Amino acid sequence: MFPRRFFKKLKRGPQVVLGKDAGAVLAYSGLSSGDVVLEAGAGSGFAAIIWGNAVRPKGKVYSFERREDFADLAQKNVEKAGLEKVVKIVRKEAFQGQRSKADLVFLDCGDSNLLIAEAFEHLKPGGLLVGYLPHVEQLRGFVECAVNAGFELELCLENNEREWLVRERGSRPVNTGLTHTAFLAFLRKP
Amino acid sequence: MFPRRFFKKLKRGPQVVLGKDAGAVLAYSGLSSGDVVLEAGAGSGFAAIIWGNAVRPKGKVYSFERREDFADLAQKNVEKAGLEKVVKIVRKEAFQGQRSKADLVFLDCGDSNLLIAEAFEHLKPGGLLVGYLPHVEQLRGFVECAVNAGFELELCLENNEREWLVRERGSRPVNTGLTHTAFLAFLRKP
Amino acid sequence: MFPRRFFKKLKRGPQVVLGKDAGAVLAYSGLSSGDVVLEAGAGSGFAAIIWGNAVRPKGKVYSFERREDFADLAQKNVEKAGLEKVVKIVRKEAFQGQRSKADLVFLDCGDSNLLIAEAFEHLKPGGLLVGYLPHVEQLRGFVECAVNAGFELELCLENNEREWLVRERGSRPVNTGLTHTAFLAFLRKP
Amino acid sequence: MFPRRFFKKLKRGPQVVLGKDAGAVLAYSGLSSGDVVLEAGAGSGFAAIIWGNAVRPKGKVYSFERREDFADLAQKNVEKAGLEKVVKIVRKEAFQGQRSKADLVFLDCGDSNLLIAEAFEHLKPGGLLVGYLPHVEQLRGFVECAVNAGFELELCLENNEREWLVRERGSRPVNTGLTHTAFLAFLRKP
C-alpha cells in the first residue's frame, strides 16, 4: 500500500497525473499483479509508480521519457517508492526496443497521436489504450486516430473530484480547487 | 485485467460500487498484490471483485454479508470473475471470527458507524479505513466516530465522473447520468 | 414574478433553455426593465418568456422562428405568460425587418454562426451577444466567428446545477439528472 | 444592463454573492420590474445591486445590515451602480420597521434561521424565500425551520459554474477555480 501522503514527499517537475485520474485508469483497466504497462512520457514518474504498485511484484512498467531531466526525476521518485525492479524509466523515443507485449498503454505527451499506431502493435489482443488529453480537440483527434488504427472506443470521460471539509462548524465542499486536469479516452484493441 | 465491460455481465442485486468510487479507493489506498482487505457488506460483490483483482494472487478479501440472498449473488459474481481463491464471501456479522489483520477496511452498509471500533482492531498500524456514505449526515457521523476511535482523518471527497461523446457531429458531455452515488471518507490508523 | 412551477404548465416542443442557463444570462447581462432582446430561434418560447419577464413592462423581445409549428407553440406559451405585449414571436428569417437596436442578442439555433454578423449590426455599442452551444466545436466556431466579426470575448462557461434532497433520513444530491445542456459564450460589442 | 465587468470595479468587503448564484435566484424567482425584495445582510451590496437592477425602476430592495462598515461599503457600491433610488441599505436589525410586503426575501447571514418567521410575515402570499447557506447543516436547519414556519419547499440546489478557455491551441475548462460557494434553498409562502 502506498498511502496518499507518500506522493507528497516526491519531487515534482512536469505536471503529474493525479489520483482521481489514475484511479479511473486502475478501475476501468482492471490492472493487476503480473500485467505489463507501457507509458509515454514519464514526467515526474507519479503515474509510473501507481501502475508499478498495481502490477508488482511480477508485472513491469516501461515508462519512456526522452527528456533527461524528467527521466532523472522520475528515476529518483521510482527509487523512493522502492519500485526500481518493477518500473523501468527508458530514456528513448517511445517505444524503441520494446519487446514484451503490453496489457495497458498509457499516453500522456504532447504528440500522443503519433504513438497510437505503435501502441496498437505493442498491445496484446484485448489490451487497453488510454489517452490523457488536456484539450477537447486533442481528445477528439486521439479518438479518431485510434479508431482509424483499429481500436474500439470504450469510453471518454472527465473525472471531477471535490474534497469535502467535515468540521465542528459544519460540512461543505472546499471553496477552491482543481476544476480540470485532462480528459481520458479508453480504447480497446480487439 | 478486468475490462470495464466484464462488470456488465455480472448480475446486480443491491446497488453496486461503481468504477469512479472504487478507482478513488484504489488510487488513494495504493492497494496491491498481497494486501488484505476487509469489507462489509458484500452487496452484489462488485467492490470485492475490484479489491480481489488488486490484491491477487497472494492477497485476500474477506467480504462480510449477513443477507443470504446478497451473499449468494456476490459468491456467484466472484466465481464468474475467477477470484474465488482470493475473495471470501463470509456469511456472518462483520467481522466475526476474523483473524488476519487488514491493510484496508471498506465499509458500505447502513450501520457502518457501529463497525468502526472493530475496524480499528482489525487494521494493521498505518492501515486505511474507507467509508462509502450516501448522505452528508452519515459522512459526518462516520468521521466523528472514527476520529473518536483513534483514526486520523485523511480526506473526504466525492467523485463526479462525466462521460463524453466524441462523434462526427461534435464533442460534448452526455446529457443525463449519475449525479451522485456516495461520499468517501478516508481515515488512517496511526 | 414567474414562479419556477409556472414553466411546468407550459407545453414543450423543441428542447428548452433551462433556468440554470437562463439565470447565467440574466446575471451576466444585467438585463432589466426597458431593454431590447433579439433571439433566434424561439423554440418553445421558454427563453423568450424569461427575457420578456426581465425587460417588462417597457422593454421588448423579438424572437425569430422560421418553423411554423414552433412559432405557434411559442406564441401560445407567451400568451399563457401574459407577455404578448412584450414578446413578439416573429415568423421570419432572423433578423429580417428588425429595426430597434438590441441590448442582448441570444442565439440558440443550428446555424448560430451565420447570424453573428447580423447580430453585430443589430446590437447597440456595449451590447451583449450570447451563444447557446451544445458541442465544444460549436462553441469554438462561434467564438472565432464572433471575434472575427468585431466582438470582444468576455467569458465561456458551462453551468452545472445539482438538486439536493434534504429529508428526515439525510441530505444528499439527487442520484441522477442532467449532466449537460450547452456551453454559453458571452461576447461584447465594443 | 450591468455588464459583468461592472462588478469588478466595486469594492469588496465581506464575501459577495456571485453571478452563478444570483442568476439561479433571478431565474427561479422570476423577479421583475416593480417587485419588492427584502434582504439580510447587505454584505458588500453585490446581491442588492443585482436585485435592484432586476426590479427597477418601480420596484424596491430593502437590504438590512447591522454592521456599519458593511453598510457604508454597500451604500457606496449601490451609488456607483446608480441604484440609490431603488436599493435602500437599512442600518437596522432585519426587518425592523419594514412595511411594504415583499415578493422575495433573500437571507444570507450567519443566523438566517432566526429570521424565517419574520420573513414569512413580510412576504406576500406566493412570495419566495431564498436561503444562501454555505454548510449542509445550515441548509438542513434552514429547510426544517422554514417548513415548520409554514413555507413549502420548492428546491434545494448548488450551482457549479465552470469557465472554459477557447483558444488557438485548444478548448478546455480552466484548471483551477471556485468549487463551492453555498447551497440555495427555495421555499414558497402558500
Side-chain angles (χ1 to χ4, degrees):
Chain A
M1 301 236 307
F2 277 101
R4 181 167 168 263
R5 64 194 159 185
F6 169 76
F7 289 94
K8 296 190 178 163
K9 294 183 206 158
L10 299 185
K11 264 200 170 171
R12 293 178 181 220
Q15 201 168 353
V16 302
V17 174
L18 296 179
K20 74 182 184 75
D21 297 316
V25 175
L26 292 175
Y28 293 135
S29 68
L31 209 62
S32 71
S33 181
D35 287 339
V36 173
V37 179
L38 290 188
E39 179 185 78
S44 304
F46 279 45
I49 289 171
I50 295 173
W51 318 144
N53 180 56
V55 304
R56 70 191 174 90
K58 293 189 198 153
K60 285 273 182 262
V61 178
Y62 302 93
S63 182
F64 287 75
E65 180 56 62
R66 55 193 163 200
R67 277 189 58 169
E68 283 297 321
D69 51 344
F70 291 178
D72 288 346
L73 174 62
Q75 183 64 38
K76 260 184 209 156
N77 282 332
V78 166
E79 285 166 17
K80 271 190 200 156
L83 285 168
E84 58 272 28
K85 289 193 180 156
V86 177
V87 179
K88 303 290 164 196
I89 306 295
V90 187
R91 295 157 191 261
K92 290 184 187 165
E93 290 292 319
F95 295 104
Q96 287 184 9
Q98 180 60 29
R99 288 195 191 167
S100 352
K101 292 285 183 185
D103 298 280
L104 171 69
V105 173
F106 182 76
L107 298 182
D108 168 20
C109 49
D111 51 358
S112 291
N113 284 12
L114 304 180
L115 296 171
I116 287 174
E118 281 195 76
F120 192 88
E121 289 204 15
H122 287 95
L123 273 168
K124 301 176 188 167
L128 191 67
L129 169 68
V130 180
Y132 177 92
L133 307 144
H135 291 98
V136 173
E137 289 83 352
Q138 291 171 303
L139 172 68
R140 181 176 186 142
F142 188 85
V143 169
E144 287 175 354
C145 269
V147 168
N148 285 341
F151 284 99
E152 288 168 4
L153 178 59
E154 284 220 331
L155 179 68
C156 298
L157 62 82
E158 60 172 330
N159 213 339
N160 293 309
E161 179 185 291
R162 196 164 59 156
E163 188 177 343
W164 275 68
L165 300 174
V166 175
R167 298 180 295 188
E168 187 64 32
R169 84 192 85 163
S171 308
R172 63 167 176 80
V174 295
N175 289 132
T176 56
L178 276 176
T179 49
H180 178 68
T181 52
F183 301 96
L184 292 174
F186 295 80
L187 296 114
R188 186 77 55 184
K189 177 171 176 175
Chain B
M1 300 238 309
F2 278 100
R4 184 169 166 262
R5 63 192 161 186
F6 168 76
F7 290 93
K8 296 191 176 162
K9 294 183 205 158
L10 299 186
K11 263 201 170 171
R12 291 177 183 220
Q15 201 168 352
V16 302
V17 174
L18 296 178
K20 73 181 184 76
D21 296 316
V25 176
L26 292 175
Y28 293 135
S29 67
L31 208 62
S32 72
S33 182
D35 287 339
V36 173
V37 179
L38 290 188
E39 180 186 76
S44 304
F46 278 46
I49 290 171
I50 295 173
W51 317 145
N53 181 57
V55 303
R56 73 187 171 91
K58 291 189 199 153
K60 286 273 183 258
V61 178
Y62 302 93
S63 181
F64 286 75
E65 180 57 63
R66 54 193 164 199
R67 278 189 57 169
E68 282 297 321
D69 52 342
F70 291 179
D72 288 346
L73 175 62
Q75 182 65 38
K76 261 184 207 155
N77 283 332
V78 166
E79 285 167 17
K80 270 189 200 156
L83 286 168
E84 59 272 29
K85 290 194 180 153
V86 177
V87 179
K88 302 291 164 197
I89 306 295
V90 187
R91 295 157 191 261
K92 290 185 188 162
E93 290 293 319
F95 294 104
Q96 287 184 7
Q98 178 62 30
R99 287 199 193 160
S100 353
K101 292 285 184 186
D103 298 281
L104 171 68
V105 174
F106 182 74
L107 297 182
D108 169 19
C109 49
D111 50 359
S112 292
N113 285 11
L114 304 180
L115 297 170
I116 287 174
E118 282 195 75
F120 192 88
E121 288 205 15
H122 287 95
L123 273 168
K124 302 177 188 167
L128 191 67
L129 169 68
V130 181
Y132 177 92
L133 307 144
H135 291 99
V136 173
E137 289 84 352
Q138 292 171 303
L139 172 67
R140 181 176 184 141
F142 188 85
V143 169
E144 286 175 355
C145 271
V147 168
N148 285 339
F151 284 99
E152 286 167 5
L153 177 59
E154 283 219 332
L155 179 68
C156 297
L157 61 84
E158 60 172 330
N159 212 340
N160 293 308
E161 179 184 292
R162 196 163 60 156
E163 188 178 342
W164 276 68
L165 300 174
V166 175
R167 298 181 296 189
E168 187 64 34
R169 83 192 82 165
S171 309
R172 63 165 175 81
V174 295
N175 290 132
T176 56
L178 277 175
T179 48
H180 178 67
T181 53
F183 301 96
L184 292 174
F186 296 80
L187 296 113
R188 186 77 55 183
K189 177 171 175 175
Chain C
M1 300 238 306
F2 277 100
R4 184 168 166 263
R5 60 191 163 189
F6 168 77
F7 290 94
K8 295 191 177 165
K9 296 183 204 160
L10 300 184
K11 264 200 169 172
R12 293 179 180 219
Q15 200 169 354
V16 303
V17 174
L18 296 179
K20 73 182 185 75
D21 297 316
V25 175
L26 292 175
Y28 293 135
S29 67
L31 209 62
S32 71
S33 181
D35 287 340
V36 172
V37 179
L38 289 187
E39 180 186 77
S44 305
F46 278 46
I49 289 172
I50 295 173
W51 317 143
N53 180 57
V55 304
R56 74 188 171 90
K58 293 190 196 150
K60 286 273 182 259
V61 177
Y62 301 94
S63 181
F64 286 76
E65 180 57 62
R66 56 194 163 197
R67 277 189 58 169
E68 283 297 321
D69 52 342
F70 291 179
D72 289 347
L73 174 62
Q75 183 64 38
K76 260 184 208 154
N77 282 334
V78 166
E79 286 166 16
K80 270 189 201 157
L83 285 169
E84 58 272 28
K85 289 193 179 153
V86 177
V87 179
K88 303 291 165 196
I89 306 295
V90 187
R91 293 157 191 264
K92 290 184 187 164
E93 291 291 320
F95 294 105
Q96 285 184 10
Q98 179 61 29
R99 287 198 192 164
S100 352
K101 292 286 184 184
D103 299 281
L104 172 69
V105 173
F106 182 76
L107 297 181
D108 168 20
C109 49
D111 51 359
S112 291
N113 284 12
L114 304 179
L115 296 170
I116 287 172
E118 282 195 75
F120 193 87
E121 288 204 15
H122 286 96
L123 273 169
K124 301 176 188 167
L128 191 68
L129 170 68
V130 180
Y132 177 92
L133 307 144
H135 290 99
V136 173
E137 289 84 352
Q138 292 171 302
L139 172 68
R140 181 175 184 141
F142 188 86
V143 168
E144 286 175 355
C145 269
V147 168
N148 285 340
F151 284 99
E152 286 167 7
L153 177 59
E154 283 219 332
L155 180 67
C156 297
L157 62 83
E158 61 174 327
N159 212 338
N160 293 308
E161 179 184 293
R162 196 163 60 155
E163 189 177 342
W164 276 68
L165 300 173
V166 175
R167 298 181 296 188
E168 189 62 35
R169 85 191 82 165
S171 308
R172 63 167 174 81
V174 296
N175 289 131
T176 57
L178 277 175
T179 48
H180 178 66
T181 53
F183 301 97
L184 292 173
F186 295 81
L187 296 113
R188 187 77 56 184
K189 177 171 174 174
Chain D
M1 301 238 307
F2 278 99
R4 182 167 168 262
R5 63 192 161 187
F6 168 76
F7 290 94
K8 297 192 178 162
K9 294 182 204 158
L10 299 185
K11 264 199 170 171
R12 293 177 180 220
Q15 202 168 353
V16 303
V17 174
L18 295 179
K20 74 181 184 75
D21 297 315
V25 175
L26 292 175
Y28 293 136
S29 67
L31 209 62
S32 72
S33 181
D35 287 340
V36 173
V37 179
L38 289 189
E39 180 185 76
S44 305
F46 278 46
I49 289 172
I50 295 174
W51 317 144
N53 180 56
V55 304
R56 73 189 172 91
K58 291 188 199 154
K60 286 274 182 258
V61 177
Y62 302 94
S63 182
F64 286 76
E65 179 56 63
R66 56 193 164 200
R67 277 189 57 169
E68 282 297 320
D69 52 342
F70 290 0
D72 288 346
L73 174 62
Q75 183 64 39
K76 260 184 208 155
N77 282 334
V78 166
E79 285 166 18
K80 270 189 200 155
L83 284 168
E84 59 272 28
K85 289 191 181 156
V86 177
V87 179
K88 302 292 163 195
I89 306 295
V90 187
R91 294 157 191 262
K92 290 184 188 164
E93 290 292 319
F95 295 103
Q96 286 185 6
Q98 180 61 28
R99 289 199 191 162
S100 352
K101 292 286 183 183
D103 298 280
L104 172 68
V105 174
F106 182 76
L107 297 183
D108 169 19
C109 48
D111 51 359
S112 291
N113 285 12
L114 304 179
L115 296 171
I116 287 174
E118 281 195 76
F120 192 87
E121 288 203 16
H122 287 96
L123 274 169
K124 301 176 189 169
L128 192 67
L129 170 68
V130 180
Y132 177 92
L133 307 142
H135 290 98
V136 173
E137 289 84 353
Q138 292 171 302
L139 171 68
R140 180 175 187 144
F142 188 85
V143 168
E144 287 175 355
C145 269
V147 168
N148 286 340
F151 284 99
E152 286 168 5
L153 177 58
E154 284 218 333
L155 180 68
C156 297
L157 62 83
E158 61 173 328
N159 213 340
N160 293 308
E161 180 184 292
R162 196 164 59 157
E163 189 178 341
W164 275 69
L165 300 173
V166 175
R167 298 180 295 188
E168 188 64 34
R169 84 192 84 164
S171 309
R172 63 166 174 81
V174 295
N175 289 131
T176 56
L178 277 175
T179 48
H180 178 67
T181 53
F183 301 96
L184 291 174
F186 295 80
L187 297 114
R188 186 78 54 184
K189 177 172 175 174

